[in-house]
Amino acid sequence: MLYILLPIYNEQENLKHLIQTIFKECSLENVRIIAVNDGSDDSSMAILQEELRPSDVICTKLINMNVGAAFSDGIQVFLSIGNENDVLVLMETDLTSDVSFLKVLEKNIRAYDQDVVIASRYQSRGCYRNFPIFRKILSYSVNRLLSVIFPIENVFDYTIFFRAYSWKILVKMKEYFGAHGIIQSKGFSANAELLIKASYLNARIAEVPYVYDYGKKDGKSKILILHSVLEYFRLIVYLKMLSKKIRGKELREKTRDIAK
């Protein structure tokens, strides 16, 4: 089964078209949507109730708790109803995540036994399109910084939403970090946090080239630039401290094994 996690905050302009496109593109028997309505005050909830099937899942927050909390809730739902053969894809609801690319992400998880597959703007044949120049420079800088501080082999796109996770790696992350420890970030840096924590657990991670067309976006961006930059710096400090704890745990376990 393919599960699709949609974090939703005031997406009434896009939501109906997105859901209908998913159901046209995917086999209805093999796809389920997990929609996390993160405190929307527009018609998003009504659209979800109208367009989704009983087999899909709607989680509702009365106030906006930001995308990190939406991811966290959606992942917990996936782990509670899915199984080891299932795949979870995170995608944006502003139409910049190409629905036809869902099959590419799922196929790469299954065919090559990957834990995480990223739709990457930095692989050959991948790129930004119609992206504001300042945002493009900022995005590139953040991704470059994260790749230097937290290097992952053959990974360059740390921040994009659009990626697939195996059920097995998310279960492993839950067991290691706890149900509420998989994601600590509140905002858009949650994408990088998920990826880097998966790498700490030796996840098999791959990228596939993706053309990120910002021109498909309908509506204003919800990213607050300065707030997001500060959030990434807080994330770096947190993940460096977490890395030290993990290395310390591994060292203690090796010492006990030697003592035996």
Side-chain angles (χ1 to χ4, degrees):
M1 182 76 72
L2 172 64
Y3 287 82
I4 301 170
L5 172 51
L6 302 177
I8 298 159
Y9 177 60
N10 291 346
E11 293 289 355
Q12 62 181 15
E13 293 88 356
N14 312 313
L15 204 47
K16 184 173 183 177
H17 174 71
L18 175 61
I19 293 171
Q20 291 179 351
T21 304
I22 290 172
F23 288 154
K24 287 178 183 177
E25 189 72 29
C26 302
S27 169
L28 295 181
E29 296 79 17
N30 295 316
V31 67
R32 293 182 71 179
I33 292 176
I34 301 172
V36 182
N37 181 32
D38 190 22
S40 298
D41 53 18
D42 63 356
S43 301
S44 293
M45 187 62 185
I47 294 170
L48 290 174
Q49 292 172 332
E50 178 182 343
E51 296 296 329
L52 293 184
R53 308 157 300 174
S55 59
D56 300 310
V57 180
I58 302 174
C59 303
T60 302
K61 296 178 180 294
L62 296 180
I63 61 172
N64 178 244
M65 296 297 292
N66 219 324
V67 70
F71 282 164
S72 182
D73 283 1
I75 288 170
Q76 296 311 314
V77 170
F78 171 65
L79 293 178
S80 69
I81 63 178
N83 63 57
E84 62 181 8
N85 298 313
D86 294 332
V87 174
L88 178 68
V89 172
L90 278 58
M91 65 186 299
E92 297 193 65
T93 49
D94 61 4
L95 306 182
T96 55
S97 295
D98 186 349
V99 173
S100 66
F101 208 74
L102 287 167
K103 295 177 182 177
V104 176
L105 295 174
E106 182 185 14
K107 179 181 177 182
N108 275 267
I109 288 280
R110 298 190 188 282
Y112 304 108
D113 195 27
Q114 301 289 349
D115 292 311
V116 186
V117 176
I118 303 164
S120 175
R121 298 161 290 190
Y122 300 112
Q123 286 289 336
S124 176
R125 301 191 312 280
C127 65
Y128 294 90
R129 184 175 292 166
N130 300 311
F131 208 73
I133 187 63
F134 176 72
R135 288 277 305 279
K136 184 176 180 179
I137 293 170
L138 182 61
S139 177
Y140 175 82
S141 300
V142 170
N143 278 286
R144 181 60 181 154
L145 178 64
L146 291 173
S147 69
V148 170
I149 299 175
F150 306 105
I152 304 172
E153 186 176 4
N154 297 321
V155 172
F156 305 95
D157 204 328
Y158 284 62
T159 63
I160 195 166
F161 264 62
F162 204 19
R163 58 176 73 141
Y165 291 86
S166 70
W167 187 86
K168 290 179 286 188
I169 189 59
L170 291 173
V171 165
K172 189 174 181 180
M173 292 173 72
K174 180 178 179 179
E175 291 172 348
Y176 198 92
F177 300 114
H180 302 292
I182 297 176
I183 298 176
Q184 296 291 295
S185 303
K186 301 300 182 184
F188 292 90
S189 63
N191 298 297
E193 181 182 354
L194 263 175
L195 177 66
I196 294 166
K197 282 183 173 177
S199 75
Y200 285 166
L201 302 184
N202 300 313
R204 295 180 295 276
I205 304 172
E207 290 192 334
V208 289
Y210 180 68
V211 177
Y212 184 91
D213 190 350
Y214 199 75
K216 294 180 179 179
K217 184 179 180 65
D218 191 359
K220 295 181 179 179
S221 173
K222 298 177 179 67
I223 295 179
L224 302 175
I225 301 297
L226 180 58
H227 178 79
S228 293
V229 170
L230 293 175
E231 190 177 68
Y232 277 112
F233 280 110
R234 287 195 293 268
L235 176 66
I236 289 169
V237 173
Y238 162 65
L239 289 175
K240 292 295 284 185
M241 292 176 60
L242 181 62
S243 176
K244 290 180 180 179
K245 290 182 179 180
I246 292 172
R247 289 199 301 270
K249 178 178 181 296
E250 292 173 347
L251 180 60
R252 289 192 297 273
E253 289 175 348
K254 287 181 180 179
T255 302
R256 284 198 297 268
D257 289 342
I258 293 171
K260 291 178 180 179

